[in-house]
Amino acid sequence: MRKIKAKKITAENFSAYGSFTDLLNPQGICLGDFYPDRLLEPAKTALPMAFSPLIVRKPEHMEIHTVEYHNYTGEILLPLDTDVVIHVAPASNVLVPEKTEAFIVPKGTIVRFNAGVYHYCPYSIEKDEGRVLIVLPERTYMNDCCVFEYEEKDCMEIVL
């Protein structure tokens, strides 16, 4: 199984997939103690945004067998109580497992995936079980979620 190395998320190495900001250590322009507009998700739908908890686990091996993407919306992910590893691959009309990258996301860092970016459930790297907030338009998981299982030859393992 091919191995990919998880790297620290930075504005430069993640820009092709979306954006992020550290909510626990805000920087930049502020209005006193208020740091406005740190991460934007364009409103592309009349559906309300849904805030959904996700339980993530620390596996013995961080193996990638499954990916998903959304055609019409980005996805927001916020690790609440554990650092996580995410994996992404560029938006494409075909699966591109060979272009997969993995990033370490510290708790309190809100991440936005662009529409079309391949991704899946993050892995906890601190706690056996952690909590992540997922933000998507209501019922995206039912009406705009394309899920794919990789062939065995395309599966990979993330290493720290």
Side-chain angles (χ1 to χ4, degrees):
M1 183 176 289
R2 182 171 67 95
K3 296 186 186 296
I4 59 172
K5 176 100 172 116
K7 51 193 152 197
K8 180 180 183 207
I9 193 169
T10 68
E12 294 77 29
N13 67 17
F14 193 71
S15 64
Y17 307 109
S19 56
F20 71 95
T21 191
D22 183 345
L23 295 177
L24 299 180
N25 302 290
Q27 297 179 3
I29 298 170
C30 61
L31 304 170
D33 290 334
F34 178 59
Y35 293 79
D37 306 334
R38 290 294 166 238
L39 186 119
L40 303 175
E41 171 60 27
K44 301 173 195 156
T45 175
L47 294 172
M49 295 303 281
F51 296 78
S52 304
L54 171 65
I55 297 172
V56 296
R57 294 187 169 69
K58 182 179 181 179
E60 186 174 337
H61 300 283
M62 292 183 278
E63 294 181 354
I64 303 170
H65 297 273
T66 307
V67 291
E68 70 177 28
Y69 69 85
H70 313 292
N71 279 307
Y72 304 106
T73 186
E75 179 172 330
I76 294 174
L77 172 146
L78 172 60
L80 298 170
D81 63 354
T82 185
D83 293 353
V84 299
V85 171
I86 60 172
H87 59 87
V88 292
S92 174
N93 62 349
V94 296
L95 290 174
V96 287
E98 69 280 2
K99 294 184 178 180
T100 300
E101 295 189 77
F103 297 95
I104 298 168
V105 180
K107 63 181 158 257
T109 301
I110 190 168
V111 175
R112 179 188 171 275
F113 298 125
N114 292 334
V117 167
Y118 289 97
H119 63 282
Y120 208 60
C121 185
Y123 300 104
S124 175
I125 55 176
E126 284 186 313
K127 300 169 76 175
D128 288 338
E129 186 176 283
R131 305 297 183 273
V132 173
L133 177 67
I134 301 295
V135 182
L136 287 163
E138 181 181 26
R139 294 188 51 77
T140 296
Y141 52 89
M142 292 300 297
N143 58 38
D144 182 22
C145 190
C146 302
V147 179
F148 301 92
E149 294 289 327
Y150 282 143
E151 293 181 28
E152 190 61 36
K153 68 178 179 58
D154 292 326
C155 294
M156 63 206 86
E157 180 180 356
I158 300 169
V159 295
L160 297 177

